[in-house]
Amino acid sequence: MIAKEGRVILIPLLLVTFPIGVYAHASDNNLLIILYTTLGLLFLFCLNFFRDPVRSIPIDKTMVVSPADGKVVKIEDINDPDVGGPARLVSIFLNVFNVHVNRVPIDGMIESVERKSGSFLAAFNHLASDENEQIITIINNESGKYKVKQIAGLIARRILCYAKHDIKMNKGDRLGFIRFGSRTDLIMPKHLDLQVKVGQKVTGGETVIGII
């Protein structure tokens, strides 16, 4: 399944690549064949990047799932007033080969959605969590408040977020999409039982990050 966010890139790319390929082979023009091959590889890369596989979401309401595919690059105990004091940060790095759909980690009401302007540091840089452009969504669950930060990277300049203030979203719902390499942070109450470790690969909507 292809993510809807990729259509704006994939369709025009296909419409350009296909006729160039037909003409290149018909005319036996080496330059056009090279151009067609390059565009074809770019199309295949984008096709892989914008995939949106179906996920099996755990139904247990005590389980908090990963908001993104990728690799856990940082776990830190912090103090976050939005979450309510002592909290735990789990930071996930998404490379260009990961699925870039972001998902809601837990059932709850959307308390706020805020876009924050900033830099475009490489997403694997820990400073990116605070300094890069990002969208911050706060989810209110009966067990506490949860914050998801969709963070732009060096080449990820487009963040899409579908959460809106005062609507209910369910665990595993599509929260948004970040185009190309990026970072997603989950900040949750510290009392949760952490289920992941630094270096672990996680799957959005499926991997359990914490248990209430």
Side-chain angles (χ1 to χ4, degrees):
M1 185 174 177
I2 301 301
K4 60 183 180 180
E5 295 85 357
R7 294 172 191 166
V8 68
I9 294 176
L10 288 168
I11 293 175
L13 190 56
L14 179 62
L15 292 176
V16 170
T17 303
F18 182 73
I20 288 177
V22 172
Y23 185 74
H25 287 289
S27 62
D28 200 26
N29 185 309
N30 288 334
L31 287 177
L32 285 179
I33 290 175
I34 291 172
L35 177 60
Y36 163 67
T37 302
T38 301
L39 289 173
L41 291 173
L42 179 60
F43 177 78
L44 291 176
F45 168 79
C46 291
L47 199 63
N48 179 70
F49 179 85
F50 286 108
R51 66 195 187 279
D52 185 8
V54 176
R55 294 289 163 79
S56 178
I57 314 300
I59 60 174
D60 189 334
K61 292 188 178 297
T62 67
M63 293 181 175
V64 179
V65 299
S66 176
D69 287 35
K71 180 180 178 181
V72 177
V73 292
K74 184 179 183 180
I75 296 175
E76 184 179 21
D77 290 339
I78 62 173
N79 190 358
D80 191 303
D82 293 328
V83 173
R88 181 168 283 128
L89 163 70
V90 177
S91 196
I92 301 164
F93 171 67
L94 296 77
N95 65 41
V96 293
F97 299 107
N98 290 127
V99 172
H100 272 59
V101 175
N102 288 141
R103 297 186 179 274
V104 177
I106 193 168
D107 297 345
M109 295 292 295
I110 303 301
E111 182 170 294
S112 65
V113 181
E114 175 190 4
R115 181 179 290 272
K116 176 186 172 185
S117 299
S119 305
F120 293 95
L121 301 173
F124 55 77
N125 186 334
H126 292 322
L127 292 176
S129 289
D130 296 317
E131 298 186 11
N132 278 19
E133 182 167 314
Q134 56 193 263
I135 294 180
I136 303 168
T137 302
I138 298 177
I139 305 165
N140 200 342
N141 177 271
E142 59 186 15
S143 65
K145 294 182 180 180
Y146 297 76
K147 179 189 287 187
V148 179
K149 299 170 71 173
Q150 297 171 270
I151 303 166
L154 185 63
I155 57 175
R157 302 297 176 101
R158 179 67 169 152
I159 305 173
L160 302 173
C161 182
Y162 305 126
K164 296 185 183 300
H165 171 66
D166 213 25
I167 67 168
K168 186 179 187 302
M169 298 190 77
N170 297 317
K171 179 169 60 179
D173 286 350
R174 293 171 106 261
L175 177 66
F177 196 96
I178 313 177
R179 292 194 182 132
F180 306 108
S182 53
R183 186 179 185 115
T184 302
D185 286 358
L186 172 62
I187 301 172
M188 56 189 185
K190 191 176 178 180
H191 62 76
L192 268 69
D193 185 11
L194 188 67
Q195 299 294 302
V196 294
K197 59 184 179 180
V198 173
Q200 180 177 337
K201 292 183 178 180
V202 293
T203 302
E206 290 188 351
T207 302
V208 177
I209 297 290
I211 296 178
I212 301 168

